């Protein structure tokens, strides 16, 4: 007796292949499987990913636009290097955007929203305790920091955060690698969460700025011998 599927299966189109190729390349870059400054070739990437050159070129163009790859005319394709200026720019922009997100979301906090933030924090701690999946810990750290953006209900602000997420992921990976651990320290977000659920926006904003400044300084110090000028 045959099985009749109600869903018509279609071959993957170039757009789907491009998205998958871009996702795989992104994961390899942000997880450090390619060294900063490493030269890549389309031929080797196409063979390794088992994709055709057309969709691969589109994926490469997408990653070059967000800064994970650098295409140098007549020289080739390179994995982005990290400079002190890169980290400082990411810190300053992220601090400004996340501060604005808290200003926008502060009056929108409900009991349900506060419970959601605490659940995100608990899930992150559970992953840290398991000590088995650094990628999952970083994703949950991003999920925790996404809370204020989602709650702000500001569509352009949310788009700005989404466009920056890959670079923040890359920064988190560098930060954790510099300190030889899979993810953040278990208690590193406790004060952040408590203040986000508290009654003082000025205290939240002051802590946010200090929280990010400390992270930037410790990362720059730990990577001082590896950062490009």
């Amino acid at each position: 007796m045959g099985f009749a599927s109600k869903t018509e299966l279609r071959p993957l189109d170039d757009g789907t292949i491009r998205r998958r190729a871009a996702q795989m390349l992104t994961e390899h870059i942000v997880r450090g499987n390619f060294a900063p400054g490493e030269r890549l070739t389309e031929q080797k990437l196409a063979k390794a990913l088992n994709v055709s050159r057309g969709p691969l070129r589109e994926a490469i163009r997408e990653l070059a636009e967000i800064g994970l790859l650098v295409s140098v005319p007549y020289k080739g394709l390179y994995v982005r290097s990290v400079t002190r200026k890169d980290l400082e720019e990411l810190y300053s922009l992220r601090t400004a955007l996340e501060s604005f997100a808290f200003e926008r979301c502060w009056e929108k906090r409900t009991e349900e929203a506060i419970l959601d933030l605490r659940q995100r924090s608990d899930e992150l701690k559970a992953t840290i305790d398991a000590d088995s999946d650094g990628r999952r810990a970083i994703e949950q750290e991003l999920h925790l920091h996404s809370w204020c953006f989602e709650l702000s209900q500001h569509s352009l602000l949310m788009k700005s955060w989404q466009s920056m997420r890959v670079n923040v992921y890359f920064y988190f990976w560098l930060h954790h690698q510099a300190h030889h651990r899979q993810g953040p320290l278990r208690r590193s977000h406790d004060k952040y969460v408590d203040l986000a659920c508290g009654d003082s926006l000025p205290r939240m904003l002051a802590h946010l700025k200090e929280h990010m400044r400390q992270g930037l300084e410790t990362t720059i110090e730990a990577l001082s011998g590896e950062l490009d000028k």
Side-chain angles (χ1 to χ4, degrees):
M1 184 175 180
F3 174 76
S5 173
K6 295 181 180 179
T7 301
E8 182 182 354
L9 297 178
R10 296 184 178 88
L12 296 177
D13 58 28
D14 283 354
T16 302
I17 296 172
R18 174 192 60 77
R19 287 190 293 273
R20 290 179 60 185
Q23 181 181 16
M24 286 188 285
L25 284 173
T26 297
E27 290 180 359
H28 280 293
I29 293 168
V30 300
R31 298 180 71 180
N33 295 334
F34 296 131
E38 180 178 346
R39 187 174 186 272
L40 306 176
T41 66
E42 284 188 11
Q43 182 178 2
K44 289 183 178 180
L45 289 175
K47 183 177 180 180
L49 298 175
N50 194 27
V51 298
S52 60
R53 301 284 281 274
L56 176 62
R57 288 194 186 102
E58 291 298 317
I60 289 172
R61 185 177 296 113
E62 179 181 329
L63 267 59
E65 287 176 355
I66 62 176
L68 288 183
L69 292 175
V70 178
S71 181
V72 181
Y74 309 111
K75 290 187 177 181
L77 181 70
Y78 298 85
V79 178
R80 67 170 291 178
S81 297
V82 181
T83 67
R84 181 187 181 107
K85 183 173 182 289
D86 290 334
L87 296 179
E88 289 174 343
E89 287 186 353
L90 181 60
Y91 155 78
S92 61
L93 180 58
R94 185 178 160 219
T95 301
L97 291 181
E98 197 155 336
S99 296
F100 181 53
F102 269 105
E103 291 171 357
R104 293 285 302 188
C105 81
W106 198 253
E107 300 302 324
K108 297 181 176 70
R109 295 173 306 153
T110 62
E111 290 185 6
E112 182 180 3
I114 288 173
L115 177 61
D116 177 32
L117 178 60
R118 293 200 179 278
Q119 286 178 335
R120 296 183 193 206
S121 177
D122 290 343
E123 289 169 0
L124 173 58
K125 287 181 178 180
T127 298
I128 294 170
D129 290 343
D131 194 31
S132 59
D133 191 345
R135 175 186 171 187
R136 180 62 178 159
I138 292 177
E139 288 173 349
Q140 288 178 329
E141 190 173 5
L142 280 169
H143 188 50
L144 186 147
H145 281 281
S146 293
W147 178 82
C148 59
F149 292 95
E150 296 167 15
L151 193 60
S152 74
Q153 299 176 5
H154 191 299
S155 58
L156 289 178
L157 178 61
M158 191 64 194
K159 287 179 181 178
S160 297
W161 167 245
Q162 291 291 353
S163 68
M164 192 170 59
R165 277 179 63 107
V166 169
N167 288 292
V168 177
Y169 189 120
F170 190 57
Y171 164 76
F172 281 164
W173 180 85
L174 285 173
H175 180 79
H176 303 325
Q177 289 295 310
H179 294 84
H180 309 289
R181 59 178 187 248
Q182 292 269 21
L185 294 174
R186 193 180 194 279
R187 298 180 61 84
S188 60
H189 290 86
D190 284 359
K191 188 173 182 180
Y192 175 99
V193 172
D194 287 342
L195 288 173
C197 299
D199 57 6
S200 175
L201 176 59
R203 287 182 62 197
M204 178 67 235
L205 297 179
H207 172 71
L208 175 65
K209 185 175 182 179
E210 179 65 13
H211 176 77
M212 293 192 184
R213 184 191 63 79
Q214 288 182 352
L216 172 70
E217 289 180 352
T218 55
T219 301
I220 288 177
E221 181 180 359
L223 297 174
S224 59
E226 303 175 30
L227 293 176
D228 289 347
K229 303 299 182 183

